[in-house]
């Protein structure tokens, strides 16, 4: 569903600001071979990295690991005692991500948890000051509930695909009402309950801070 063609504007940003490590380039190629080019783009990866630095995030929860691409972008921005716990439902994807992370300098900084995040998050006992949601779109409202309960005041929530493939601001596509309603609900809840905005990336990237009550 992601438009893989990079326009001149994004290419310019990519060339100037978002150079990948060799490993990141290799992960992107591996995912493309498997028709899984649904990860964030290099420039979105760099944006996540800058957000981690700006917010001084230390304890990140990522929902939707895929090949570890976004986690590895974020890991580079973490302080020495920072950590990412990333949840992945598919065992194949979790295994692939672990393999990629094992060849990176961030093996100790990233933990891949395999299983359904809706359940696994409730078992997660670690601290969290940033949550990145990039998993199945019908799940976003429930992930938001968890994030709102577990983030401290000032905690950062980031979510990919909040334009829902350019449908969220118009009609629900045929047969996609469940996903469309979920994203409408998610975006409305963020607007109401967080200090939030959608950055108009190709996919829509929401950034939101948990306000003081
Ligand atoms: C899809 C999922 C994503 O998270 C994304 O960024 C693009 C596409 C998908 O499921 O098709
Ligand atoms: Mg996404």
């Amino acid at each position: 569903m992601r438009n893989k063609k990079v326009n001149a504007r994004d290419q310019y940003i990519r060339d100037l600001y978002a150079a990948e490590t060799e490993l990141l380039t290799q992960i992107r190629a591996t995912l493309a071979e498997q028709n899984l080019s649904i990860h964030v783009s290099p420039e979105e990866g760099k944006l996540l990295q800058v957000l981690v630095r700006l917010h001084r995030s230390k304890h990140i929860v990522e929902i939707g690991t895929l090949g570890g691409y976004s986690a590895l972008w974020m890991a580079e921005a973490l302080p020495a005692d920072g950590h990412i716990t990333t949840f992945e439902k598919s065992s194949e994807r979790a295994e692939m991500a672990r393999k990629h992370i094992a060849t990176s300098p961030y093996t100790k900084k990233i933990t891949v948890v395999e299983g359904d995040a809706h359940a696994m998050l409730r078992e997660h006992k670690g601290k969290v000051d940033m949550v990145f949601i990039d998993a199945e779109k019908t799940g976003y409202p429930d992930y938001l509930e968890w994030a709102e309960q577990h983030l401290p005041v000032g905690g950062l929530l980031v979510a990919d695909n909040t334009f829902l493939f350019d449908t969220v601001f118009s009609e629900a596509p045929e047969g996609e009402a469940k996903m469309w309603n979920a994203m409408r609900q998610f975006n409305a809840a963020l607007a109401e309950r967080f200090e939030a905005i959608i950055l108009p990336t190709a996919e829509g990237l929401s950034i939101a801070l948990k306000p003081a009550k």
Side-chain angles (χ1 to χ4, degrees), residues 1-2 37-40 134-135 137 140 160-161 165 203:
M1 285 198 245
R2 180 181 283 274
S37 295
I38 59 171
H39 54 84
V40 298
D134 193 13
K137 309 314 166 199
Y140 277 36
D160 190 33
N161 309 105
F165 318 110
E203 296 290 330

Side-chain angles (χ1 to χ4, degrees), residues 60-103:
I60 302 175
V61 163
E62 178 183 63
I63 308 168
T65 311
L66 192 58
Y69 186 83
S70 45
L72 285 163
W73 268 107
M74 293 191 285
E76 198 180 320
L78 281 176
D81 55 347
H83 193 268
I84 301 174
T85 306
T86 180
F87 293 85
E88 177 52 58
K89 189 173 179 185
S90 142
S91 53
E92 292 84 11
R93 293 178 185 185
E95 192 185 329
M96 167 174 59
R98 285 197 184 105
K99 237 176 63 194
H100 291 146
I101 292 160
T103 66

Side-chain angles (χ1 to χ4, degrees), residues 5-194:
K5 254 192 97 200
V6 183
N7 64 36
R9 189 175 67 175
D10 289 348
Q11 191 66 52
Y12 177 78
I13 300 172
R14 188 175 299 190
D15 291 345
L16 201 52
Y17 293 94
E20 292 170 317
T21 61
E22 257 178 62
L23 176 60
L24 286 169
T25 302
Q26 185 209 311
I27 295 172
R28 197 151 55 85
T30 302
L31 289 168
E33 274 168 25
Q34 301 180 31
N35 279 319
L36 278 176
S37 295
I38 59 171
H39 54 84
V40 298
S41 67
E43 52 281 11
E44 288 158 349
K46 179 62 182 283
L47 173 58
L48 288 170
Q49 200 176 85
V50 172
L51 286 172
V52 170
R53 290 191 201 280
L54 260 177
H55 183 252
R56 299 188 165 85
S57 308
K58 251 182 154 170
H59 306 287
I60 302 175
V61 163
E62 178 183 63
I63 308 168
T65 311
L66 192 58
Y69 186 83
S70 45
L72 285 163
W73 268 107
M74 293 191 285
E76 198 180 320
L78 281 176
D81 55 347
H83 193 268
I84 301 174
T85 306
T86 180
F87 293 85
E88 177 52 58
K89 189 173 179 185
S90 142
S91 53
E92 292 84 11
R93 293 178 185 185
E95 192 185 329
M96 167 174 59
R98 285 197 184 105
K99 237 176 63 194
H100 291 146
I101 292 160
T103 66
S104 81
Y106 306 113
T107 48
K108 293 216 168 70
K109 282 203 160 124
I110 306 175
T111 305
V112 179
V113 178
E114 185 187 317
D116 186 341
H118 297 286
M120 305 302 279
L121 279 168
R122 269 89 192 172
E123 319 250 298
H124 181 66
K125 296 289 176 256
K127 287 190 238 174
V128 51
D129 52 27
M130 173 177 175
V131 176
F132 176 46
I133 305 173
D134 193 13
E136 95 288 0
K137 309 314 166 199
T138 49
Y140 277 36
D142 182 59
Y143 297 138
L144 172 59
E145 290 302 316
W146 184 88
E148 192 171 12
Q149 279 171 28
H150 290 83
L151 282 171
V153 168
L156 176 63
L157 177 84
V158 180
D160 190 33
N161 309 105
T162 50
F163 288 155
L164 196 63
F165 318 110
D166 279 344
T167 66
V168 84
F169 37 77
S170 49
E171 311 264 286
E174 284 251 333
E176 309 272 21
K178 195 168 173 229
M179 191 159 76
W180 189 86
N181 284 319
M183 196 60 84
R184 293 281 291 196
Q185 184 191 331
F186 176 86
N187 286 343
L190 266 198
E192 196 184 328
R193 310 209 294 256
F194 278 65

